Amino acid sequence: MKTGLVLEGGGMRGLFTAGILDVLLENNVNFDGVVGVSAGATFGCNFVSRQIGRSLRYNINFRNDPKYMGFRSLIKTGDLVGAEYAYHVLPTQLDVFDFETFEKNPTEFHIVATNVKDGTPIYHHVDKMDYTGLEWLRASASMPIVSTPVVIGDLEMLDGGIADSIPLRYFESEGFTKNIVILTQPKGFTKKLTKLMPVFKATMRKYPAIIEAMGRRHIMYNHELEYITQQQQAGKCLVICPSDTLPISRTSQNAKKMQHVYAMGRKAGEQNLEAIKQFLAK
């Protein structure tokens, strides 16, 4: 029986997840595999490289650097989050990612992206965090409207949350039958059709499949929540989520809010630590 960790995205809401992951690292709680979507991927990789505090640290340290994230980057490059700077310069030179530990760690690391041609999810096992591996991270976290699609081989991709926001079914199909699911929305949350559909239709005309996928994303998401609830009731997964809506936006550059959401995650991790250990030990 393989144990898995399923990580939802949500931009800076993902710092809640990062707080939980750091508590798990500090208490040597391990998994056979991790699957992350969007921020769940970009922050979750630090769990596999075992770098406590890195997700919070670099987001605070570089939050005001226009090359890292901001509208100047968006206007200049087409990407709100700087493609080369954030995904290649930062992890190799400025806040160095532990590539060696990541590659030696037996924990599998999977990400989800969305195929812009047909709006379907693309699942990828990242076994080496080289330039291409970092590009897979970027693909998973490239939010539509504020990102250019990422091209790897013959694939053109955007944010994985468009097509599969909480990939529990996928991980189960990969043999991970006992999973911890970390959500960045509170219990009882129901997603509604985005109010930005007119913006999607105006800016994403080249990608009609993405427009269509965004139009049904709320339906997909709510079905996934229903499935997760069923699996938890059946004892096949354990869900950890915020007690209330996280007080931060997807693209916030406010250091106090980042620290607060991360602290909320740490508290949730500490409160659920014994339950997690017991669930994994069954």
Coordinates of all heavy atoms in Angstrom, one line a residue, residues 32-63:
D32 N 5.2 8.0 0.0 CA 5.7 7.3 -1.2 C 5.6 8.2 -2.4 O 6.4 8.1 -3.4 CB 5.0 6.0 -1.4 CG 5.2 5.0 -0.3 OD1 6.3 4.8 0.0 OD2 4.2 4.5 0.2
G33 N 4.7 9.2 -2.4 CA 4.5 10.1 -3.5 C 3.8 11.3 -3.2 O 3.0 11.4 -2.2
V34 N 4.1 12.4 -4.0 CA 3.4 13.7 -3.8 C 2.9 14.1 -5.2 O 3.7 14.0 -6.2 CB 4.4 14.8 -3.3 CG1 3.8 16.1 -3.2 CG2 5.0 14.4 -2.0
V35 N 1.7 14.6 -5.3 CA 1.2 15.2 -6.5 C 0.7 16.6 -6.2 O 0.0 16.8 -5.3 CB 0.1 14.4 -7.2 CG1 -1.1 14.2 -6.3 CG2 -0.3 15.0 -8.5
G36 N 1.2 17.6 -7.0 CA 0.9 19.0 -6.7 C 0.3 19.6 -8.0 O 0.7 19.3 -9.1
V37 N -0.6 20.5 -7.8 CA -1.2 21.3 -8.8 C -0.9 22.8 -8.6 O -1.1 23.3 -7.5 CB -2.7 21.1 -8.9 CG1 -3.3 21.9 -10.0 CG2 -3.1 19.7 -9.0
S38 N -0.3 23.4 -9.6 CA 0.0 24.9 -9.5 C 0.9 25.2 -8.3 O 2.0 24.7 -8.2 CB -1.4 25.6 -9.5 OG -1.2 27.0 -9.8
A39 N 0.4 26.0 -7.4 CA 1.2 26.3 -6.2 C 1.4 25.0 -5.4 O 2.4 25.0 -4.7 CB 0.5 27.4 -5.3
G40 N 0.6 24.1 -5.5 CA 0.8 22.8 -4.8 C 2.0 22.1 -5.3 O 2.7 21.4 -4.6
A41 N 2.3 22.4 -6.6 CA 3.6 21.8 -7.2 C 4.8 22.7 -6.9 O 5.8 22.1 -6.5 CB 3.4 21.7 -8.7
T42 N 4.7 24.0 -7.1 CA 5.8 24.8 -6.8 C 6.3 24.9 -5.4 O 7.4 25.0 -5.1 CB 5.5 26.3 -7.3 OG1 4.4 26.8 -6.7 CG2 5.3 26.3 -8.8
F43 N 5.3 24.7 -4.5 CA 5.7 24.6 -3.0 C 5.9 23.2 -2.6 O 6.8 22.9 -1.8 CB 4.6 25.2 -2.2 CG 4.3 26.7 -2.4 CD1 3.2 27.3 -1.9 CD2 5.3 27.5 -3.1 CE1 3.0 28.7 -2.1 CE2 5.0 28.8 -3.3 CZ 3.9 29.4 -2.8
G44 N 5.2 22.3 -3.2 CA 5.4 20.8 -2.8 C 6.7 20.3 -3.2 O 7.2 19.3 -2.5
C45 N 7.4 20.8 -4.2 CA 8.7 20.2 -4.6 C 9.7 20.5 -3.4 O 10.6 19.7 -3.3 CB 9.2 20.8 -5.9 SG 9.5 22.6 -5.8
N46 N 9.5 21.5 -2.6 CA 10.3 21.8 -1.5 C 10.2 20.7 -0.4 O 11.1 20.6 0.5 CB 10.1 23.2 -0.9 CG 10.4 24.3 -1.9 OD1 11.5 24.3 -2.5 ND2 9.5 25.2 -2.1
F47 N 9.0 20.1 -0.4 CA 8.9 18.9 0.6 C 9.8 17.8 0.2 O 10.4 17.1 1.0 CB 7.4 18.5 0.6 CG 7.1 17.4 1.5 CD1 7.0 17.6 2.9 CD2 7.0 16.1 1.1 CE1 6.7 16.5 3.8 CE2 6.7 15.0 1.9 CZ 6.6 15.3 3.3
V48 N 9.8 17.5 -1.1 CA 10.7 16.4 -1.6 C 12.2 16.7 -1.5 O 13.0 15.9 -1.2 CB 10.3 16.1 -3.1 CG1 11.1 14.9 -3.6 CG2 8.8 15.7 -3.2
S49 N 12.5 18.0 -1.7 CA 13.9 18.4 -1.5 C 14.2 18.7 0.0 O 15.4 19.0 0.3 CB 14.2 19.7 -2.3 OG 13.5 20.8 -1.8
R50 N 13.2 18.6 0.8 CA 13.4 18.7 2.3 C 13.9 20.0 2.7 O 14.8 20.1 3.6 CB 14.2 17.5 2.9 CG 13.7 16.1 2.4 CD 14.3 15.0 3.2 NE 14.0 15.0 4.6 CZ 12.8 14.5 5.1 NH1 11.9 14.0 4.3 NH2 12.6 14.6 6.4
Q51 N 13.4 21.1 2.2 CA 13.9 22.4 2.5 C 12.9 23.2 3.3 O 12.0 23.9 2.7 CB 14.3 23.2 1.2 CG 15.5 22.6 0.5 CD 15.9 23.2 -0.8 OE1 15.4 22.9 -1.8 NE2 16.8 24.2 -0.7
I52 N 12.9 23.0 4.6 CA 12.0 23.7 5.5 C 12.1 25.2 5.4 O 13.2 25.8 5.4 CB 12.3 23.2 6.9 CG1 12.0 21.7 7.1 CG2 11.4 24.0 7.9 CD1 12.5 21.1 8.4
G53 N 11.0 25.9 5.2 CA 10.9 27.3 5.2 C 11.2 28.0 3.9 O 11.0 29.2 3.7
R54 N 11.6 27.2 2.8 CA 12.0 27.8 1.6 C 10.8 28.5 0.9 O 11.0 29.6 0.3 CB 12.7 26.8 0.7 CG 13.2 27.4 -0.7 CD 13.9 26.4 -1.5 NE 14.4 27.0 -2.7 CZ 13.8 27.1 -3.9 NH1 12.6 26.4 -4.0 NH2 14.3 27.7 -4.9
S55 N 9.7 27.9 0.8 CA 8.5 28.4 0.1 C 8.2 29.8 0.7 O 7.9 30.7 -0.1 CB 7.3 27.5 0.3 OG 7.6 26.2 -0.3
L56 N 8.1 30.0 2.0 CA 7.8 31.3 2.6 C 9.0 32.2 2.3 O 8.8 33.4 2.0 CB 7.5 31.1 4.0 CG 7.3 32.4 4.8 CD1 6.0 33.1 4.3 CD2 7.2 32.2 6.3
R57 N 10.2 31.7 2.5 CA 11.4 32.6 2.5 C 11.5 33.3 1.1 O 11.6 34.6 1.1 CB 12.6 31.8 2.8 CG 13.9 32.7 2.8 CD 15.1 31.8 3.2 NE 15.4 30.8 2.2 CZ 15.4 29.5 2.5 NH1 15.0 29.0 3.7 NH2 15.7 28.6 1.5
Y58 N 11.5 32.6 0.0 CA 11.8 33.3 -1.2 C 10.6 34.1 -1.7 O 10.8 35.1 -2.3 CB 12.2 32.3 -2.3 CG 11.2 31.4 -2.9 CD1 10.2 31.8 -3.8 CD2 11.2 30.0 -2.6 CE1 9.3 31.0 -4.4 CE2 10.3 29.1 -3.2 CZ 9.3 29.7 -4.1 OH 8.4 28.8 -4.6
N59 N 9.4 33.8 -1.3 CA 8.2 34.6 -1.6 C 8.3 35.9 -0.9 O 7.9 37.0 -1.5 CB 6.9 33.9 -1.4 CG 6.6 33.0 -2.6 OD1 6.2 33.5 -3.6 ND2 6.6 31.7 -2.4
I60 N 8.8 35.9 0.3 CA 8.9 37.2 1.0 C 10.1 38.0 0.5 O 10.0 39.2 0.3 CB 9.0 36.9 2.6 CG1 7.6 36.5 3.1 CG2 9.5 38.2 3.3 CD1 7.6 36.3 4.6
N61 N 11.2 37.3 0.4 CA 12.5 38.0 0.0 C 12.4 38.7 -1.4 O 13.0 39.7 -1.6 CB 13.7 37.1 0.1 CG 14.0 36.7 1.5 OD1 13.6 37.3 2.5 ND2 14.8 35.7 1.7
F62 N 11.7 38.0 -2.3 CA 11.7 38.5 -3.7 C 10.3 39.1 -4.1 O 10.1 39.4 -5.3 CB 12.0 37.4 -4.6 CG 13.4 36.9 -4.4 CD1 13.7 35.8 -3.6 CD2 14.5 37.5 -5.0 CE1 15.0 35.3 -3.4 CE2 15.8 37.1 -4.8 CZ 16.0 36.0 -4.0
R63 N 9.4 39.4 -3.1 CA 8.1 39.8 -3.4 C 8.1 41.2 -4.2 O 7.2 41.4 -5.0 CB 7.2 39.9 -2.2 CG 7.6 41.0 -1.2 CD 6.9 40.9 0.1 NE 7.1 42.1 1.0 CZ 8.2 42.3 1.6 NH1 9.2 41.4 1.6 NH2 8.3 43.4 2.4

